């Protein structure tokens, strides 16, 4: 408990130092107020936005696209990852395709999606899906492969049916890795949704950032940027909490092990 309090105090101290440096730089005029407004101005703009329906509409539009794309990624990534993790033939046959598809930077493909799907909420959800499905798929695949050969031999020796084997052996063993993939994808979904909004005319936080910047309201633009960061951090905390509750003392898988 003391170690946790110490860590939190160090984190809070680092945040205070950053805010103080920010205020000092802007007060000294080292950077123009248009490029970098002071923290007091940004806080005031954020306070005004919190009482605005436009602000909450933008947040809702961003979350709608992020959650829709993430849900589709979960629906595809977990089953495909588990199947390819269990069956070597499925993994080997799909490996080249997966490696090629996940090598494409999803934002670079945005013009293609705009051409095919148009500037629609469905296009935003599709881009989020592409960005999120591979972390989930690969972590699920790694989790399915983490079941030891001894366990597989024991299950086969007792002639346990495949469906029961999957439910009682494969799935519980894969849960830590699956949760890691979900945590990574959840944060990515919001960031990608905002990125799409910045580069298109789709409504949301990203669009409001660009609109505020073009209108000369840089303090409002930074307020929306802080909102985006807060949403991403909140999602990370919620995912970590859900992971701890679900695993109940079991150590979570480390991110990147499936890469």
């Amino acid at each position: 408990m003391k170690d946790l309090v110490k860590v939190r105090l160090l984190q809070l101290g680092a945040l205070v130092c950053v805010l103080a440096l920010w205020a000092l730089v802007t007060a000294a005029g080292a950077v123009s107020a248009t490029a970098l407004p002071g923290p007091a101005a940004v806080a005031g703009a954020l306070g005004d936005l919190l009482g605005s329906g436009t602000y909450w509409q933008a947040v809702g539009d961003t979350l709608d696209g992020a959650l829709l794309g993430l849900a589709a990624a979960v629906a595809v990534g977990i089953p495909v990852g588990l199947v390819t993790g269990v069956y070597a033939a499925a993994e080997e046959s799909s490996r080249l395709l997966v490696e090629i598809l996940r090598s494409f930077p999803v934002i670079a493909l945005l013009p293609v999606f705009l051409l095919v799907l148009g500037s629609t909420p469905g296009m935003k959800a599709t881009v989020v899906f592409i960005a999120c499905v591979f972390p989930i798929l690969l972590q699920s695949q790694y989790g399915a492969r983490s079941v030891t050969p001894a366990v597989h031999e024991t299950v086969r020796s007792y002639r346990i049916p495949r469906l029961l084997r999957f439910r009682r052996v494969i799935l519980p063993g894969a849960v830590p890795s699956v949760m890691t993939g979900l945590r990574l994808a959840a944060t990515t979904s919001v960031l990608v949704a905002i990125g799409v909004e910045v580069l298109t005319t789709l409504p949301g936080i990203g669009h409001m950032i660009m609109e505020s910047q073009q209108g000369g309201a840089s303090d409002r633009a930074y307020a929306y940027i802080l909102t985006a960061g807060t949403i991403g951090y909140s999602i990370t905390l919620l995912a970590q909490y859900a992971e701890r509750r679900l695993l109940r003392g079991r150590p979570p898988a480390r991110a990147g092990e499936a890469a």
Side-chain angles (χ1 to χ4, degrees), residues 1-17:
M1 183 64 182
K2 290 182 179 180
D3 290 339
L4 179 60
V5 172
K6 183 178 179 181
V7 169
R8 296 305 183 197
L9 288 175
L10 288 173
Q11 292 173 344
L12 182 61
L15 179 60
V16 170
C17 288

Side-chain angles (χ1 to χ4, degrees), residues 60-148:
D61 289 335
T62 296
L63 290 178
D64 283 345
L67 293 177
L68 183 58
L70 179 63
V74 169
V76 172
I78 292 179
V80 173
L82 293 176
V83 169
T84 54
V86 172
Y87 299 103
E91 191 274 331
E92 291 171 359
S93 62
S94 63
R95 182 185 305 164
L96 178 61
L97 180 62
V98 170
E99 290 297 327
I100 291 174
L101 291 177
R102 78 172 183 138
S103 299
F104 287 106
V106 66
I107 295 299
L109 296 175
L110 188 57
V112 177
F113 289 117
L114 282 171
L115 182 64
V116 175
L117 300 175
S119 185
T120 62
M123 185 276 293
K124 177 166 60 175
T126 300
V127 176
V128 172
F129 165 78
I130 297 297
C132 295
V133 70
F134 293 108
I136 295 174
L137 188 154
L138 293 173
Q139 287 293 147
S140 300
Q141 188 180 86
Y142 176 84
R145 289 203 304 260
S146 66
V147 180
T148 61

Side-chain angles (χ1 to χ4, degrees), residues 154-250:
T154 302
V155 168
R156 277 195 289 267
S157 66
Y158 282 98
R159 297 182 179 180
I160 296 176
R162 287 186 178 181
L163 183 58
L164 184 61
R165 182 194 316 171
F166 180 82
R167 288 174 52 198
R168 298 297 186 183
V169 178
I170 303 298
L171 193 55
V175 164
S177 290
V178 171
M179 289 302 300
T180 298
L182 288 175
R183 176 159 44 86
L184 295 172
T187 304
T188 300
S189 67
V190 176
L191 298 179
V192 171
I194 292 173
V196 172
E197 293 160 1
V198 168
L199 298 174
T200 65
T201 59
L202 289 170
I205 293 174
H207 181 69
M208 296 307 297
I209 291 172
M210 293 300 299
E211 188 177 89
S212 299
Q213 192 66 38
Q214 291 169 358
S218 56
D219 53 350
R220 194 170 62 195
Y222 275 88
Y224 276 109
I225 292 172
L226 287 179
T227 299
T230 301
I231 291 174
Y233 182 63
S234 299
I235 289 175
T236 299
L237 291 180
L238 288 173
Q240 289 174 344
Y241 174 77
E243 187 175 4
R244 287 194 300 267
R245 293 283 295 177
L246 187 61
L247 299 181
R248 290 179 182 166
R250 295 170 59 185

